Amino acid sequence: MWEFQAALADAEHASSDPPRIAALRRAVAAYQGRFCGELDAAWAAGPATAWEQQAIAAHQDLADLIADDDPTGAAAVLEQALRTTDPHFEPLYTHLMRLHGAAGRLAEVRRVHDRLATRLAALDTQVSPATTALLARLLRTRPGEPRA
């Protein structure tokens, strides 16, 4: 966690994109999953949740910074976030759907949406109406048209 926090601090203080990207890469590499795993202790819950939220933000920031030059790498960063943070966090899925949509990978948009629906069904809940609307918008966008 020390390496993770140090990398986040470096990213925050970076004066341009290349050192920010390098620091965020270090941060996402250092974050290996929830602090104390599934330990159900009150003293661990607060820091674990805060660090997980920071990890999600770091993954999203890194994906945004590299998406134009490396859309496949950006998608991989978001997939890593889904493996190492909350696998039910819908905004990560919508971020990934938008990224695939912008690259014209409509089958991947559908796959990501379906994976979210399956994960949420296991929790006896459903995809939000906003995510369903995003799916429809992305799937009806044609090449050359602006993406959602």
mmCIF file of all heavy atoms in Angstrom, residues 81-135:
data_model
loop_
_atom_site.group_PDB
_atom_site.id
_atom_site.type_symbol
_atom_site.label_atom_id
_atom_site.label_comp_id
_atom_site.label_asym_id
_atom_site.label_seq_id
_atom_site.Cartn_x
_atom_site.Cartn_y
_atom_site.Cartn_z
ATOM 1 N N ALA A 81 -8.894 -3.297 -13.490
ATOM 2 C CA ALA A 81 -9.646 -2.692 -12.387
ATOM 3 C C ALA A 81 -10.800 -3.596 -11.963
ATOM 4 O O ALA A 81 -11.070 -3.743 -10.765
ATOM 5 C CB ALA A 81 -10.173 -1.315 -12.788
ATOM 6 N N LEU A 82 -11.456 -4.215 -12.933
ATOM 7 C CA LEU A 82 -12.567 -5.109 -12.601
ATOM 8 C C LEU A 82 -12.096 -6.376 -11.896
ATOM 9 O O LEU A 82 -12.855 -6.978 -11.143
ATOM 10 C CB LEU A 82 -13.361 -5.461 -13.866
ATOM 11 C CG LEU A 82 -14.175 -4.301 -14.427
ATOM 12 C CD1 LEU A 82 -14.713 -4.633 -15.808
ATOM 13 C CD2 LEU A 82 -15.303 -3.928 -13.478
ATOM 14 N N ARG A 83 -10.845 -6.769 -12.119
ATOM 15 C CA ARG A 83 -10.296 -7.950 -11.429
ATOM 16 C C ARG A 83 -9.798 -7.623 -10.033
ATOM 17 O O ARG A 83 -9.837 -8.471 -9.142
ATOM 18 C CB ARG A 83 -9.142 -8.553 -12.238
ATOM 19 C CG ARG A 83 -9.562 -9.311 -13.473
ATOM 20 C CD ARG A 83 -8.405 -10.064 -14.102
ATOM 21 N NE ARG A 83 -7.254 -9.243 -14.406
ATOM 22 C CZ ARG A 83 -7.092 -8.508 -15.512
ATOM 23 N NH1 ARG A 83 -8.050 -8.509 -16.424
ATOM 24 N NH2 ARG A 83 -6.002 -7.803 -15.718
ATOM 25 N N THR A 84 -9.291 -6.406 -9.831
ATOM 26 C CA THR A 84 -8.637 -6.093 -8.558
ATOM 27 C C THR A 84 -9.470 -5.212 -7.630
ATOM 28 O O THR A 84 -9.105 -5.038 -6.470
ATOM 29 C CB THR A 84 -7.271 -5.409 -8.788
ATOM 30 O OG1 THR A 84 -7.467 -4.199 -9.519
ATOM 31 C CG2 THR A 84 -6.318 -6.339 -9.518
ATOM 32 N N THR A 85 -10.560 -4.644 -8.144
ATOM 33 C CA THR A 85 -11.432 -3.824 -7.296
ATOM 34 C C THR A 85 -12.822 -4.460 -7.296
ATOM 35 O O THR A 85 -12.966 -5.640 -7.586
ATOM 36 C CB THR A 85 -11.483 -2.355 -7.784
ATOM 37 O OG1 THR A 85 -12.132 -2.293 -9.064
ATOM 38 C CG2 THR A 85 -10.089 -1.740 -7.874
ATOM 39 N N ASP A 86 -13.825 -3.684 -6.995
ATOM 40 C CA ASP A 86 -15.198 -4.174 -6.913
ATOM 41 C C ASP A 86 -15.691 -4.640 -8.284
ATOM 42 O O ASP A 86 -15.894 -3.816 -9.181
ATOM 43 C CB ASP A 86 -16.090 -3.051 -6.376
ATOM 44 C CG ASP A 86 -17.540 -3.447 -6.223
ATOM 45 O OD1 ASP A 86 -17.905 -4.587 -6.579
ATOM 46 O OD2 ASP A 86 -18.316 -2.607 -5.744
ATOM 47 N N PRO A 87 -15.892 -5.941 -8.482
ATOM 48 C CA PRO A 87 -16.318 -6.444 -9.790
ATOM 49 C C PRO A 87 -17.780 -6.147 -10.119
ATOM 50 O O PRO A 87 -18.263 -6.536 -11.177
ATOM 51 C CB PRO A 87 -16.084 -7.959 -9.679
ATOM 52 C CG PRO A 87 -16.251 -8.241 -8.222
ATOM 53 C CD PRO A 87 -15.716 -7.013 -7.507
ATOM 54 N N HIS A 88 -18.468 -5.432 -9.233
ATOM 55 C CA HIS A 88 -19.866 -5.073 -9.459
ATOM 56 C C HIS A 88 -20.041 -3.568 -9.642
ATOM 57 O O HIS A 88 -21.165 -3.083 -9.699
ATOM 58 C CB HIS A 88 -20.731 -5.546 -8.280
ATOM 59 C CG HIS A 88 -20.593 -7.007 -8.033
ATOM 60 N ND1 HIS A 88 -19.745 -7.515 -7.072
ATOM 61 C CD2 HIS A 88 -21.161 -8.074 -8.628
ATOM 62 C CE1 HIS A 88 -19.813 -8.832 -7.086
ATOM 63 N NE2 HIS A 88 -20.659 -9.196 -8.021
ATOM 64 N N PHE A 89 -18.943 -2.829 -9.737
ATOM 65 C CA PHE A 89 -18.990 -1.365 -9.808
ATOM 66 C C PHE A 89 -19.371 -0.940 -11.226
ATOM 67 O O PHE A 89 -18.550 -0.914 -12.137
ATOM 68 C CB PHE A 89 -17.648 -0.787 -9.371
ATOM 69 C CG PHE A 89 -17.632 0.703 -9.223
ATOM 70 C CD1 PHE A 89 -18.435 1.330 -8.285
ATOM 71 C CD2 PHE A 89 -16.797 1.475 -10.007
ATOM 72 C CE1 PHE A 89 -18.418 2.707 -8.132
ATOM 73 C CE2 PHE A 89 -16.770 2.860 -9.860
ATOM 74 C CZ PHE A 89 -17.587 3.476 -8.930
ATOM 75 N N GLU A 90 -20.620 -0.601 -11.405
ATOM 76 C CA GLU A 90 -21.181 -0.337 -12.730
ATOM 77 C C GLU A 90 -20.451 0.755 -13.510
ATOM 78 O O GLU A 90 -20.271 0.615 -14.727
ATOM 79 C CB GLU A 90 -22.678 -0.007 -12.590
ATOM 80 C CG GLU A 90 -23.436 -0.089 -13.872
ATOM 81 C CD GLU A 90 -24.943 -0.144 -13.671
ATOM 82 O OE1 GLU A 90 -25.424 -0.457 -12.565
ATOM 83 O OE2 GLU A 90 -25.637 0.127 -14.653
ATOM 84 N N PRO A 91 -19.993 1.842 -12.881
ATOM 85 C CA PRO A 91 -19.280 2.863 -13.661
ATOM 86 C C PRO A 91 -18.021 2.349 -14.383
ATOM 87 O O PRO A 91 -17.677 2.858 -15.448
ATOM 88 C CB PRO A 91 -18.927 3.932 -12.622
ATOM 89 C CG PRO A 91 -20.027 3.820 -11.612
ATOM 90 C CD PRO A 91 -20.288 2.329 -11.520
ATOM 91 N N LEU A 92 -17.356 1.342 -13.843
ATOM 92 C CA LEU A 92 -16.220 0.766 -14.564
ATOM 93 C C LEU A 92 -16.690 0.093 -15.855
ATOM 94 O O LEU A 92 -16.037 0.201 -16.902
ATOM 95 C CB LEU A 92 -15.473 -0.250 -13.698
ATOM 96 C CG LEU A 92 -14.466 0.312 -12.714
ATOM 97 C CD1 LEU A 92 -13.913 -0.794 -11.816
ATOM 98 C CD2 LEU A 92 -13.335 1.033 -13.426
ATOM 99 N N TYR A 93 -17.797 -0.600 -15.795
ATOM 100 C CA TYR A 93 -18.336 -1.257 -16.983
ATOM 101 C C TYR A 93 -18.767 -0.230 -18.026
ATOM 102 O O TYR A 93 -18.508 -0.412 -19.215
ATOM 103 C CB TYR A 93 -19.517 -2.157 -16.608
ATOM 104 C CG TYR A 93 -19.115 -3.380 -15.837
ATOM 105 C CD1 TYR A 93 -19.055 -3.352 -14.445
ATOM 106 C CD2 TYR A 93 -18.798 -4.572 -16.481
ATOM 107 C CE1 TYR A 93 -18.684 -4.482 -13.726
ATOM 108 C CE2 TYR A 93 -18.432 -5.706 -15.765
ATOM 109 C CZ TYR A 93 -18.378 -5.648 -14.383
ATOM 110 O OH TYR A 93 -18.006 -6.762 -13.678
ATOM 111 N N THR A 94 -19.433 0.846 -17.597
ATOM 112 C CA THR A 94 -19.864 1.845 -18.570
ATOM 113 C C THR A 94 -18.664 2.558 -19.189
ATOM 114 O O THR A 94 -18.682 2.881 -20.378
ATOM 115 C CB THR A 94 -20.849 2.857 -17.953
ATOM 116 O OG1 THR A 94 -20.237 3.530 -16.849
ATOM 117 C CG2 THR A 94 -22.128 2.170 -17.506
ATOM 118 N N HIS A 95 -17.632 2.777 -18.395
ATOM 119 C CA HIS A 95 -16.405 3.375 -18.918
ATOM 120 C C HIS A 95 -15.824 2.463 -20.005
ATOM 121 O O HIS A 95 -15.444 2.925 -21.094
ATOM 122 C CB HIS A 95 -15.419 3.553 -17.765
ATOM 123 C CG HIS A 95 -14.324 4.529 -18.022
ATOM 124 N ND1 HIS A 95 -13.741 5.243 -17.014
ATOM 125 C CD2 HIS A 95 -13.663 4.895 -19.134
ATOM 126 C CE1 HIS A 95 -12.791 6.006 -17.499
ATOM 127 N NE2 HIS A 95 -12.726 5.805 -18.789
ATOM 128 N N LEU A 96 -15.769 1.173 -19.713
ATOM 129 C CA LEU A 96 -15.243 0.202 -20.665
ATOM 130 C C LEU A 96 -16.135 0.113 -21.904
ATOM 131 O O LEU A 96 -15.634 0.020 -23.039
ATOM 132 C CB LEU A 96 -15.108 -1.156 -19.981
ATOM 133 C CG LEU A 96 -14.405 -2.269 -20.740
ATOM 134 C CD1 LEU A 96 -13.009 -1.859 -21.203
ATOM 135 C CD2 LEU A 96 -14.317 -3.510 -19.849
ATOM 136 N N MET A 97 -17.440 0.162 -21.722
ATOM 137 C CA MET A 97 -18.358 0.141 -22.860
ATOM 138 C C MET A 97 -18.117 1.339 -23.767
ATOM 139 O O MET A 97 -18.063 1.191 -24.999
ATOM 140 C CB MET A 97 -19.816 0.135 -22.366
ATOM 141 C CG MET A 97 -20.257 -1.175 -21.753
ATOM 142 S SD MET A 97 -21.856 -1.059 -20.868
ATOM 143 C CE MET A 97 -22.952 -0.545 -22.206
ATOM 144 N N ARG A 98 -17.951 2.519 -23.187
ATOM 145 C CA ARG A 98 -17.694 3.726 -23.985
ATOM 146 C C ARG A 98 -16.379 3.615 -24.748
ATOM 147 O O ARG A 98 -16.287 4.019 -25.910
ATOM 148 C CB ARG A 98 -17.685 4.961 -23.091
ATOM 149 C CG ARG A 98 -19.043 5.422 -22.672
ATOM 150 C CD ARG A 98 -18.962 6.750 -21.906
ATOM 151 N NE ARG A 98 -20.271 7.147 -21.474
ATOM 152 C CZ ARG A 98 -20.764 6.923 -20.249
ATOM 153 N NH1 ARG A 98 -20.025 6.341 -19.328
ATOM 154 N NH2 ARG A 98 -21.975 7.301 -19.944
ATOM 155 N N LEU A 99 -15.374 3.094 -24.084
ATOM 156 C CA LEU A 99 -14.070 2.929 -24.716
ATOM 157 C C LEU A 99 -14.172 1.990 -25.926
ATOM 158 O O LEU A 99 -13.680 2.308 -27.015
ATOM 159 C CB LEU A 99 -13.073 2.383 -23.694
ATOM 160 C CG LEU A 99 -11.641 2.243 -24.150
ATOM 161 C CD1 LEU A 99 -11.019 3.613 -24.383
ATOM 162 C CD2 LEU A 99 -10.844 1.510 -23.090
ATOM 163 N N HIS A 100 -14.823 0.842 -25.743
ATOM 164 C CA HIS A 100 -15.007 -0.079 -26.866
ATOM 165 C C HIS A 100 -15.871 0.551 -27.958
ATOM 166 O O HIS A 100 -15.592 0.383 -29.152
ATOM 167 C CB HIS A 100 -15.642 -1.387 -26.400
ATOM 168 C CG HIS A 100 -14.702 -2.285 -25.666
ATOM 169 N ND1 HIS A 100 -13.463 -2.640 -26.138
ATOM 170 C CD2 HIS A 100 -14.832 -2.926 -24.470
ATOM 171 C CE1 HIS A 100 -12.865 -3.455 -25.285
ATOM 172 N NE2 HIS A 100 -13.680 -3.634 -24.256
ATOM 173 N N GLY A 101 -16.891 1.283 -27.551
ATOM 174 C CA GLY A 101 -17.749 1.945 -28.534
ATOM 175 C C GLY A 101 -16.983 2.958 -29.370
ATOM 176 O O GLY A 101 -17.152 3.021 -30.596
ATOM 177 N N ALA A 102 -16.128 3.732 -28.731
ATOM 178 C CA ALA A 102 -15.332 4.734 -29.452
ATOM 179 C C ALA A 102 -14.385 4.082 -30.446
ATOM 180 O O ALA A 102 -14.065 4.664 -31.485
ATOM 181 C CB ALA A 102 -14.547 5.587 -28.462
ATOM 182 N N ALA A 103 -13.954 2.861 -30.152
ATOM 183 C CA ALA A 103 -13.056 2.127 -31.049
ATOM 184 C C ALA A 103 -13.839 1.311 -32.081
ATOM 185 O O ALA A 103 -13.237 0.609 -32.893
ATOM 186 C CB ALA A 103 -12.140 1.215 -30.237
ATOM 187 N N GLY A 104 -15.176 1.382 -32.026
ATOM 188 C CA GLY A 104 -15.994 0.651 -32.987
ATOM 189 C C GLY A 104 -16.129 -0.832 -32.689
ATOM 190 O O GLY A 104 -16.581 -1.598 -33.545
ATOM 191 N N ARG A 105 -15.763 -1.244 -31.491
ATOM 192 C CA ARG A 105 -15.838 -2.671 -31.118
ATOM 193 C C ARG A 105 -17.191 -2.952 -30.459
ATOM 194 O O ARG A 105 -17.288 -3.123 -29.245
ATOM 195 C CB ARG A 105 -14.673 -3.015 -30.196
ATOM 196 C CG ARG A 105 -13.325 -2.866 -30.891
ATOM 197 C CD ARG A 105 -12.179 -3.363 -30.036
ATOM 198 N NE ARG A 105 -12.056 -2.622 -28.793
ATOM 199 C CZ ARG A 105 -11.034 -1.819 -28.488
ATOM 200 N NH1 ARG A 105 -10.053 -1.644 -29.330
ATOM 201 N NH2 ARG A 105 -10.997 -1.203 -27.329
ATOM 202 N N LEU A 106 -18.220 -3.006 -31.286
ATOM 203 C CA LEU A 106 -19.582 -3.118 -30.776
ATOM 204 C C LEU A 106 -19.854 -4.469 -30.128
ATOM 205 O O LEU A 106 -20.629 -4.548 -29.171
ATOM 206 C CB LEU A 106 -20.587 -2.816 -31.887
ATOM 207 C CG LEU A 106 -20.434 -1.420 -32.525
ATOM 208 C CD1 LEU A 106 -21.532 -1.184 -33.539
ATOM 209 C CD2 LEU A 106 -20.415 -0.325 -31.473
ATOM 210 N N ALA A 107 -19.236 -5.534 -30.618
ATOM 211 C CA ALA A 107 -19.413 -6.838 -29.975
ATOM 212 C C ALA A 107 -18.856 -6.803 -28.557
ATOM 213 O O ALA A 107 -19.424 -7.417 -27.641
ATOM 214 C CB ALA A 107 -18.738 -7.937 -30.792
ATOM 215 N N GLU A 108 -17.764 -6.075 -28.353
ATOM 216 C CA GLU A 108 -17.183 -5.945 -27.020
ATOM 217 C C GLU A 108 -18.086 -5.112 -26.112
ATOM 218 O O GLU A 108 -18.191 -5.381 -24.917
ATOM 219 C CB GLU A 108 -15.780 -5.337 -27.089
ATOM 220 C CG GLU A 108 -14.746 -6.288 -27.638
ATOM 221 C CD GLU A 108 -14.609 -7.534 -26.774
ATOM 222 O OE1 GLU A 108 -14.369 -7.411 -25.555
ATOM 223 O OE2 GLU A 108 -14.748 -8.641 -27.325
ATOM 224 N N VAL A 109 -18.731 -4.099 -26.677
ATOM 225 C CA VAL A 109 -19.688 -3.299 -25.897
ATOM 226 C C VAL A 109 -20.760 -4.224 -25.337
ATOM 227 O O VAL A 109 -21.060 -4.194 -24.143
ATOM 228 C CB VAL A 109 -20.320 -2.185 -26.764
ATOM 229 C CG1 VAL A 109 -21.488 -1.519 -26.036
ATOM 230 C CG2 VAL A 109 -19.287 -1.157 -27.182
ATOM 231 N N ARG A 110 -21.321 -5.058 -26.194
ATOM 232 C CA ARG A 110 -22.374 -5.994 -25.779
ATOM 233 C C ARG A 110 -21.831 -6.983 -24.740
ATOM 234 O O ARG A 110 -22.475 -7.276 -23.754
ATOM 235 C CB ARG A 110 -22.907 -6.736 -27.007
ATOM 236 C CG ARG A 110 -23.746 -7.950 -26.713
ATOM 237 C CD ARG A 110 -25.128 -7.701 -26.254
ATOM 238 N NE ARG A 110 -25.918 -7.032 -27.264
ATOM 239 C CZ ARG A 110 -27.076 -6.486 -26.959
ATOM 240 N NH1 ARG A 110 -27.557 -6.543 -25.743
ATOM 241 N NH2 ARG A 110 -27.763 -5.865 -27.880
ATOM 242 N N ARG A 111 -20.624 -7.505 -24.966
ATOM 243 C CA ARG A 111 -20.032 -8.486 -24.048
ATOM 244 C C ARG A 111 -19.848 -7.888 -22.661
ATOM 245 O O ARG A 111 -20.169 -8.526 -21.649
ATOM 246 C CB ARG A 111 -18.683 -8.979 -24.593
ATOM 247 C CG ARG A 111 -18.030 -10.054 -23.731
ATOM 248 C CD ARG A 111 -16.600 -10.346 -24.165
ATOM 249 N NE ARG A 111 -15.706 -9.214 -24.012
ATOM 250 C CZ ARG A 111 -15.192 -8.789 -22.845
ATOM 251 N NH1 ARG A 111 -15.478 -9.410 -21.729
ATOM 252 N NH2 ARG A 111 -14.385 -7.749 -22.802
ATOM 253 N N VAL A 112 -19.357 -6.664 -22.599
ATOM 254 C CA VAL A 112 -19.145 -6.010 -21.299
ATOM 255 C C VAL A 112 -20.481 -5.796 -20.596
ATOM 256 O O VAL A 112 -20.612 -6.058 -19.392
ATOM 257 C CB VAL A 112 -18.379 -4.683 -21.481
ATOM 258 C CG1 VAL A 112 -18.361 -3.873 -20.192
ATOM 259 C CG2 VAL A 112 -16.956 -4.943 -21.974
ATOM 260 N N HIS A 113 -21.476 -5.343 -21.337
ATOM 261 C CA HIS A 113 -22.809 -5.146 -20.756
ATOM 262 C C HIS A 113 -23.370 -6.459 -20.228
ATOM 263 O O HIS A 113 -23.901 -6.519 -19.108
ATOM 264 C CB HIS A 113 -23.755 -4.542 -21.786
ATOM 265 C CG HIS A 113 -25.138 -4.356 -21.259
ATOM 266 N ND1 HIS A 113 -26.089 -5.356 -21.311
ATOM 267 C CD2 HIS A 113 -25.710 -3.306 -20.631
ATOM 268 C CE1 HIS A 113 -27.195 -4.924 -20.751
ATOM 269 N NE2 HIS A 113 -27.001 -3.682 -20.330
ATOM 270 N N ASP A 114 -23.244 -7.517 -21.015
ATOM 271 C CA ASP A 114 -23.778 -8.812 -20.598
ATOM 272 C C ASP A 114 -23.055 -9.343 -19.359
ATOM 273 O O ASP A 114 -23.679 -9.950 -18.477
ATOM 274 C CB ASP A 114 -23.691 -9.822 -21.735
ATOM 275 C CG ASP A 114 -24.641 -9.502 -22.886
ATOM 276 O OD1 ASP A 114 -25.501 -8.602 -22.723
ATOM 277 O OD2 ASP A 114 -24.513 -10.120 -23.951
ATOM 278 N N ARG A 115 -21.756 -9.112 -19.296
ATOM 279 C CA ARG A 115 -20.994 -9.552 -18.106
ATOM 280 C C ARG A 115 -21.470 -8.790 -16.870
ATOM 281 O O ARG A 115 -21.644 -9.382 -15.804
ATOM 282 C CB ARG A 115 -19.501 -9.335 -18.320
ATOM 283 C CG ARG A 115 -18.666 -9.847 -17.165
ATOM 284 C CD ARG A 115 -17.198 -9.856 -17.468
ATOM 285 N NE ARG A 115 -16.773 -8.647 -18.120
ATOM 286 C CZ ARG A 115 -15.548 -8.155 -18.059
ATOM 287 N NH1 ARG A 115 -14.606 -8.786 -17.398
ATOM 288 N NH2 ARG A 115 -15.236 -7.048 -18.672
ATOM 289 N N LEU A 116 -21.717 -7.486 -17.018
ATOM 290 C CA LEU A 116 -22.249 -6.705 -15.894
ATOM 291 C C LEU A 116 -23.610 -7.251 -15.476
ATOM 292 O O LEU A 116 -23.870 -7.438 -14.276
ATOM 293 C CB LEU A 116 -22.363 -5.225 -16.276
ATOM 294 C CG LEU A 116 -23.113 -4.344 -15.281
ATOM 295 C CD1 LEU A 116 -22.403 -4.300 -13.930
ATOM 296 C CD2 LEU A 116 -23.299 -2.943 -15.856
ATOM 297 N N ALA A 117 -24.481 -7.504 -16.442
ATOM 298 C CA ALA A 117 -25.821 -8.008 -16.121
ATOM 299 C C ALA A 117 -25.739 -9.328 -15.358
ATOM 300 O O ALA A 117 -26.475 -9.535 -14.383
ATOM 301 C CB ALA A 117 -26.636 -8.181 -17.402
ATOM 302 N N THR A 118 -24.827 -10.197 -15.760
ATOM 303 C CA THR A 118 -24.647 -11.484 -15.077
ATOM 304 C C THR A 118 -24.150 -11.281 -13.647
ATOM 305 O O THR A 118 -24.651 -11.909 -12.710
ATOM 306 C CB THR A 118 -23.661 -12.371 -15.865
ATOM 307 O OG1 THR A 118 -24.208 -12.607 -17.172
ATOM 308 C CG2 THR A 118 -23.408 -13.691 -15.165
ATOM 309 N N ARG A 119 -23.168 -10.404 -13.494
ATOM 310 C CA ARG A 119 -22.629 -10.143 -12.149
ATOM 311 C C ARG A 119 -23.701 -9.555 -11.233
ATOM 312 O O ARG A 119 -23.797 -9.919 -10.067
ATOM 313 C CB ARG A 119 -21.440 -9.182 -12.235
ATOM 314 C CG ARG A 119 -20.221 -9.800 -12.868
ATOM 315 C CD ARG A 119 -19.132 -10.001 -11.837
ATOM 316 N NE ARG A 119 -18.082 -10.857 -12.307
ATOM 317 C CZ ARG A 119 -16.931 -10.447 -12.807
ATOM 318 N NH1 ARG A 119 -16.697 -9.153 -12.916
ATOM 319 N NH2 ARG A 119 -16.020 -11.315 -13.185
ATOM 320 N N LEU A 120 -24.470 -8.613 -11.743
ATOM 321 C CA LEU A 120 -25.501 -7.989 -10.916
ATOM 322 C C LEU A 120 -26.644 -8.956 -10.617
ATOM 323 O O LEU A 120 -27.218 -8.919 -9.527
ATOM 324 C CB LEU A 120 -26.018 -6.713 -11.582
ATOM 325 C CG LEU A 120 -25.007 -5.573 -11.685
ATOM 326 C CD1 LEU A 120 -25.635 -4.369 -12.377
ATOM 327 C CD2 LEU A 120 -24.450 -5.194 -10.324
ATOM 328 N N ALA A 121 -26.965 -9.818 -11.564
ATOM 329 C CA ALA A 121 -28.020 -10.813 -11.327
ATOM 330 C C ALA A 121 -27.646 -11.720 -10.166
ATOM 331 O O ALA A 121 -28.519 -12.132 -9.394
ATOM 332 C CB ALA A 121 -28.272 -11.624 -12.589
ATOM 333 N N ALA A 122 -26.353 -12.002 -10.026
ATOM 334 C CA ALA A 122 -25.901 -12.831 -8.901
ATOM 335 C C ALA A 122 -26.157 -12.137 -7.570
ATOM 336 O O ALA A 122 -26.242 -12.787 -6.534
ATOM 337 C CB ALA A 122 -24.417 -13.158 -9.047
ATOM 338 N N LEU A 123 -26.293 -10.815 -7.598
ATOM 339 C CA LEU A 123 -26.610 -10.036 -6.395
ATOM 340 C C LEU A 123 -28.097 -9.716 -6.321
ATOM 341 O O LEU A 123 -28.525 -8.918 -5.497
ATOM 342 C CB LEU A 123 -25.809 -8.729 -6.376
ATOM 343 C CG LEU A 123 -24.298 -8.852 -6.356
ATOM 344 C CD1 LEU A 123 -23.657 -7.466 -6.429
ATOM 345 C CD2 LEU A 123 -23.839 -9.588 -5.103
ATOM 346 N N ASP A 124 -28.870 -10.326 -7.225
ATOM 347 C CA ASP A 124 -30.316 -10.110 -7.298
ATOM 348 C C ASP A 124 -30.656 -8.642 -7.573
ATOM 349 O O ASP A 124 -31.563 -8.075 -6.971
ATOM 350 C CB ASP A 124 -31.011 -10.596 -6.021
ATOM 351 C CG ASP A 124 -32.494 -10.840 -6.245
ATOM 352 O OD1 ASP A 124 -32.880 -11.148 -7.391
ATOM 353 O OD2 ASP A 124 -33.266 -10.701 -5.269
ATOM 354 N N THR A 125 -29.903 -8.054 -8.491
ATOM 355 C CA THR A 125 -30.185 -6.689 -8.926
ATOM 356 C C THR A 125 -30.017 -6.613 -10.438
ATOM 357 O O THR A 125 -29.661 -7.606 -11.071
ATOM 358 C CB THR A 125 -29.298 -5.663 -8.186
ATOM 359 O OG1 THR A 125 -29.763 -4.355 -8.456
ATOM 360 C CG2 THR A 125 -27.845 -5.800 -8.563
ATOM 361 N N GLN A 126 -30.292 -5.453 -11.013
ATOM 362 C CA GLN A 126 -30.261 -5.299 -12.464
ATOM 363 C C GLN A 126 -29.379 -4.126 -12.865
ATOM 364 O O GLN A 126 -29.090 -3.240 -12.060
ATOM 365 C CB GLN A 126 -31.668 -5.061 -12.997
ATOM 366 C CG GLN A 126 -32.612 -6.209 -12.761
ATOM 367 C CD GLN A 126 -34.007 -5.895 -13.264
ATOM 368 O OE1 GLN A 126 -34.323 -4.771 -13.629
ATOM 369 N NE2 GLN A 126 -34.853 -6.912 -13.278
ATOM 370 N N VAL A 127 -29.028 -4.136 -14.133
ATOM 371 C CA VAL A 127 -28.295 -3.024 -14.725
ATOM 372 C C VAL A 127 -29.182 -1.784 -14.654
ATOM 373 O O VAL A 127 -30.399 -1.871 -14.834
ATOM 374 C CB VAL A 127 -27.938 -3.357 -16.194
ATOM 375 C CG1 VAL A 127 -27.317 -2.178 -16.892
ATOM 376 C CG2 VAL A 127 -27.025 -4.570 -16.249
ATOM 377 N N SER A 128 -28.573 -0.640 -14.385
ATOM 378 C CA SER A 128 -29.349 0.598 -14.284
ATOM 379 C C SER A 128 -29.940 0.982 -15.638
ATOM 380 O O SER A 128 -29.385 0.635 -16.691
ATOM 381 C CB SER A 128 -28.463 1.737 -13.779
ATOM 382 O OG SER A 128 -27.573 2.145 -14.803
ATOM 383 N N PRO A 129 -31.036 1.725 -15.628
ATOM 384 C CA PRO A 129 -31.614 2.200 -16.886
ATOM 385 C C PRO A 129 -30.626 3.062 -17.686
ATOM 386 O O PRO A 129 -30.621 3.006 -18.917
ATOM 387 C CB PRO A 129 -32.828 3.027 -16.437
ATOM 388 C CG PRO A 129 -33.202 2.442 -15.111
ATOM 389 C CD PRO A 129 -31.899 2.038 -14.476
ATOM 390 N N ALA A 130 -29.784 3.814 -17.007
ATOM 391 C CA ALA A 130 -28.800 4.644 -17.723
ATOM 392 C C ALA A 130 -27.808 3.773 -18.494
ATOM 393 O O ALA A 130 -27.424 4.114 -19.620
ATOM 394 C CB ALA A 130 -28.065 5.549 -16.740
ATOM 395 N N THR A 131 -27.404 2.647 -17.925
ATOM 396 C CA THR A 131 -26.469 1.754 -18.607
ATOM 397 C C THR A 131 -27.162 1.051 -19.768
ATOM 398 O O THR A 131 -26.567 0.870 -20.835
ATOM 399 C CB THR A 131 -25.868 0.750 -17.617
ATOM 400 O OG1 THR A 131 -25.142 1.477 -16.630
ATOM 401 C CG2 THR A 131 -24.940 -0.231 -18.301
ATOM 402 N N THR A 132 -28.417 0.686 -19.599
ATOM 403 C CA THR A 132 -29.180 0.082 -20.694
ATOM 404 C C THR A 132 -29.330 1.077 -21.839
ATOM 405 O O THR A 132 -29.176 0.718 -23.013
ATOM 406 C CB THR A 132 -30.558 -0.389 -20.189
ATOM 407 O OG1 THR A 132 -30.351 -1.338 -19.134
ATOM 408 C CG2 THR A 132 -31.376 -1.024 -21.294
ATOM 409 N N ALA A 133 -29.581 2.341 -21.513
ATOM 410 C CA ALA A 133 -29.688 3.384 -22.536
ATOM 411 C C ALA A 133 -28.340 3.601 -23.232
ATOM 412 O O ALA A 133 -28.287 3.797 -24.449
ATOM 413 C CB ALA A 133 -30.180 4.684 -21.916
ATOM 414 N N LEU A 134 -27.259 3.558 -22.467
ATOM 415 C CA LEU A 134 -25.921 3.694 -23.059
ATOM 416 C C LEU A 134 -25.672 2.559 -24.049
ATOM 417 O O LEU A 134 -25.165 2.791 -25.153
ATOM 418 C CB LEU A 134 -24.847 3.703 -21.967
ATOM 419 C CG LEU A 134 -23.405 3.681 -22.463
ATOM 420 C CD1 LEU A 134 -23.076 4.953 -23.245
ATOM 421 C CD2 LEU A 134 -22.457 3.506 -21.282
ATOM 422 N N LEU A 135 -26.020 1.339 -23.670
ATOM 423 C CA LEU A 135 -25.841 0.199 -24.568
ATOM 424 C C LEU A 135 -26.577 0.445 -25.879
ATOM 425 O O LEU A 135 -25.993 0.293 -26.963
ATOM 426 C CB LEU A 135 -26.352 -1.086 -23.908
ATOM 427 C CG LEU A 135 -26.360 -2.322 -24.809
ATOM 428 C CD1 LEU A 135 -24.945 -2.739 -25.174
ATOM 429 C CD2 LEU A 135 -27.109 -3.458 -24.134
#
